[in-house]
Amino acid sequence: MMSTKAFTLVSAVERELLVGDKDQGHIECVECCGKNLYVGTSDCIVYHFLLEERAQPAGTATFSATKQLHRHLGFRKPVSELRAASALNRLLVLCDNSITLVNMMSLEPVPSGARIKGAVALALNENPVSGDPFCVEVCIISVKRRTIQVFLVYEDRVQIVREVSTPEQPLAVAVDGHFLCLALTTQYIILNYNTGVAQDLFPYCSDEKRPIVKRIGRQEFLLAGPGGLGMFATVAGISQRAPVHWSENVIGAAICFPYVIALDNEFITVHSMLDQQQKQTLPFKEGHILQDFEGRVIVATSKGVYILVPLPLEKQIQDLLASRRVEEALVLAKGARRNIPKEKFQVMYRRILQQAGFIQFAQLQFLEAKELFRSGQLDVRELISLYPFLLPTSSSFTRSHPPLHEYADLNQLTQGDQEKMAKCKRFLMSYLNEVRSTEVANGYKEDIDTALLKLYAEADHDSLLDLLVTENSCLLTDSAAWLEKHKKYFALGLLYHYNNQDAAAVQLWVNIVNGDIHDSTRSDLYEYVVDFLTYSLDQELVWKYADWVLQKSEEVGVQVFTRRPLDEQQNSFNPDSIITCLKKYPKALVKYLEHLVIDRRLQKEEYHTHLALLYLDEVLQQRPGANSKGAEATETQAKLQHLLQKSDLYRVHFLIDRVRGAGLPMESAILHGKLEEHEEALRILVHELQDFSAAEDYCLWRSEGRDPPYRQRLFHTLLAMYLQPGPSVPELAVAATDLLNHHAAEFDAARVLQLLPGTWSVQLLRPFLTGAVRDSVHARRTTQVALGLAKSENLIYKYDKMKLKGISVRLSDKKLCQMCQNPFREPVFVRYPNGGLVHTHCAAGRHTNPSPPGPGART
């Protein structure tokens, strides 16, 4: 049982305010709505009081009631129940089995006289289902046997919406949504009046004790059960809370969360809903009313009204925290929300959450601790300060006073247990990573990120690199020393880079690659350095380490220049300077020239010629090693041939001199082709290489983009070479036949027939002749169509001309030119199809049609 009191009992309304010197009526019921207190008496009078609360230095409060007015309702029976509907400004008064609607301020009945008749008891639905804000839902026990009725009550009218039959006579009712909690003659039940489904709860004897049915929250009720138990039940017919033990003779109950308050003939008892223990007992005789109104608990005798005032919760909460009862302390703190000013409550509650968080943290309940720290908006440095050496040396942080916990550091908290310490460090890593990008970190991101870096480095955590390559606030001095201590040199380089010290970063990584220091974080660190230099804007740094990366690998190192962003290549790095640097590295030089010529397509003769020469030199060097480098030689030679064909910028004569006598006939043929020396090129292909397919490809290549006559001359040249007089070579005849049959459209058939030997059969040239005849017929028909169209067009023009000649035009010196608006001085003019007349010189200078002359301008 808690050692501190939860409530004090203070008087609110004395009997003298009700009856003065008279000793007739006594209190039958009460209702409280805000500061308005209503009292119903046995002599059918309703009193309206205004409650004033005065806070006391000890944290308690006193109340004074000011009588506003009272009104006799005109009946001879007691006022049984009062219920306020503040949204409607109406007070519902149950008297003599009739519910009357009266004004909350004047206590006058509504002018319409609306009332509900035949009511024994009533309950308001605090979880209404109608959705109409201008009415309240009222459930009554009807004078009809075993009947419950549901009404909608408006400002000046009532409307019955449902009548429900019950298995036994109902004695008490509470309502939530569509669910009725009923005390019948022998049992409690839950009844859904919308579906008619009933759920039995537990039995009780109405002859032995007074039933209690009270709604305590959404879809939950408090009932007086057997054996002196206060039972909780949901609309599903189950209990989600353990019962509280109260008196066997309880006559009333109320809720002031987290307490259940019970009233019997002699005492008021206070019970915790958290641990079901009785916390306090207050003597109170002759009490017969106990109700709660929005957190305010009122008890009454027949002569006076009293209020149970909750005492300050700070001490109760601190006692709970001291005994490690965190959940109870937090729930109790939440219950204090209505009784403490908002700002004060927020400060208090945040501190309680923080204290609770450290208690859970010390018990290694990290998930619970994290939620409490976040909810309590903990200055995360309070947590970091528990870990030795994590806060930067420059941090000005001092712990909260009074302290949030009792621990000096993590060693004391874990009592030196290394496993617990490791768990605590893993939690802090996770927590700092979550909060570093939230509002929790505002103002001290440097402390958070530096601590996180130290934890990652110490634990060899993969997230260390992620932290350093993204936006962070790690302090350079503290972080660098810590990383060096734990031999995280690659990470240290990232830290230098983030702090704009790229030279230090690259030098550190170079030392790792060279083996001067050891760090196995990245096996591809050399490629990483190349990539880093590629995107570095520091030209001096790139040039400083260019030789180093090229010495390690020419093919990879040259990417420092070839993969740079295009705008930087154009503006910052001169290709000529790079080529000079690469002269010592032939493979890198070839790669770079390929980049300039093929990728960037720079139109500069020097680069094209240089690349072709490098290809040529490599081909000539590789030719003797036919077996070992055959595939490589073929690839390089293919690149050379492709460059010679596609580029028009290299020095052809210079390359011909280099190729001559080198045993490179294909390259020679391409170069002769570039000089328009087609016969020589084809001679090489046909007679030296005897590559007839290459000869055909040559004709297609050289005639690409040229006019048809040029293309035809090339193919005729090749055909003539195949058919030239001399010893009979069967392969040439076959090549000539294939050429004609495959490219019939490229030849003048008449000329070809004159060149062909008379011994060739028609069947042999059938594809060629078929194509030639088809092309001839097509050309003739196309010409005929064109001729017919021209004749038709001419006929149309003649017709238009005759129409124009049939129209007379009158011209006088009064007629004005439609362009210059001057009169005609000679009988020479131009007439437009729309009838406009203009001077010849005006027509010659202008091509726009004048607007047609108006009717008044005709002569």
Side-chain angles (χ1 to χ4, degrees), residues 354-355 357-364 366 369 373 378-391 397-400 403-415 421 424-425 427-428 432 451 455:
Q354 294 168 9
Q355 290 178 276
F358 278 106
I359 291 171
Q360 298 285 37
F361 175 74
Q363 297 174 345
L364 306 186
F366 296 127
F373 287 151
L378 175 72
D379 180 342
V380 72
R381 296 175 297 178
E382 289 278 2
L383 183 59
I384 297 173
S385 67
L386 278 173
Y387 297 72
F389 309 115
L390 287 194
L391 278 175
F397 171 74
T398 55
R399 288 184 179 179
S400 173
L404 297 173
H405 54 81
E406 58 189 15
Y407 306 106
D409 57 24
L410 196 62
N411 291 316
Q412 180 188 351
L413 187 148
T414 60
Q415 297 181 347
M421 197 173 295
C424 290
K425 288 181 178 180
F427 163 71
L428 184 60
L432 293 182
L455 288 168

Side-chain angles (χ1 to χ4, degrees), residues 668-678 681 698 701-702 710:
S668 297
I670 295 171
L671 291 169
H672 283 294
K674 287 287 185 177
L675 296 174
E676 298 292 326
E677 297 173 356
H678 302 308
Y698 174 86
W701 164 55
R702 291 309 300 160
Y710 184 93

Side-chain angles (χ1 to χ4, degrees), residues 471-625:
E471 183 179 355
N472 67 80
S473 301
C474 299
L475 290 174
L476 179 61
T477 305
D478 274 61
S479 301
W482 192 272
L483 291 173
E484 193 166 355
K485 172 185 175 183
H486 291 277
K487 301 187 185 304
K488 297 296 179 182
Y489 299 112
F490 175 72
L492 179 55
L494 293 178
L495 179 68
Y496 283 142
H497 167 57
Y498 189 81
N499 286 273
N500 300 314
Q501 298 184 19
D502 287 356
V506 175
Q507 185 59 56
L508 198 60
W509 295 331
V510 167
N511 291 342
I512 297 173
V513 175
N514 290 340
D516 299 333
I517 54 179
H518 179 70
D519 185 343
S520 59
T521 302
R522 290 194 69 132
S523 59
D524 61 341
L525 183 54
Y526 165 71
E527 289 79 4
Y528 181 87
V529 174
V530 171
D531 193 59
F532 182 86
L533 292 173
T534 298
Y535 293 97
S536 174
L537 300 178
D538 187 343
Q539 294 186 51
E540 183 179 346
L541 184 67
V542 175
W543 285 117
K544 179 179 178 181
Y545 290 97
D547 281 324
W548 181 82
V549 297
L550 289 165
Q551 289 166 6
K552 289 290 180 182
S553 170
E554 292 187 36
E555 290 85 348
V556 177
V558 75
Q559 294 176 7
V560 169
F561 302 114
T562 60
R563 290 176 52 200
R564 302 196 73 78
L566 186 57
D567 57 344
E568 194 178 341
Q569 292 188 47
Q570 293 172 342
N571 301 325
S572 303
F573 284 86
N574 186 341
D576 294 333
S577 301
I578 296 174
I579 291 171
T580 301
C581 171
L582 297 178
K583 285 182 178 179
K584 298 180 291 184
Y585 310 101
K587 293 181 180 179
L589 181 57
V590 170
K591 292 284 186 184
Y592 184 67
L593 287 171
E594 286 177 344
H595 169 68
L596 295 179
V597 172
I598 299 171
D599 299 335
R600 291 182 56 186
R601 299 182 180 179
L602 294 185
Q603 304 297 304
K604 192 171 182 180
E605 173 271 324
E606 180 182 351
Y607 302 150
H608 289 247
T609 303
H610 197 168
L611 180 59
L613 282 173
L614 290 174
Y615 281 155
L616 181 58
D617 290 342
E618 189 173 350
V619 169
L620 293 176
Q621 290 173 6
Q622 293 168 349
R623 287 178 69 82

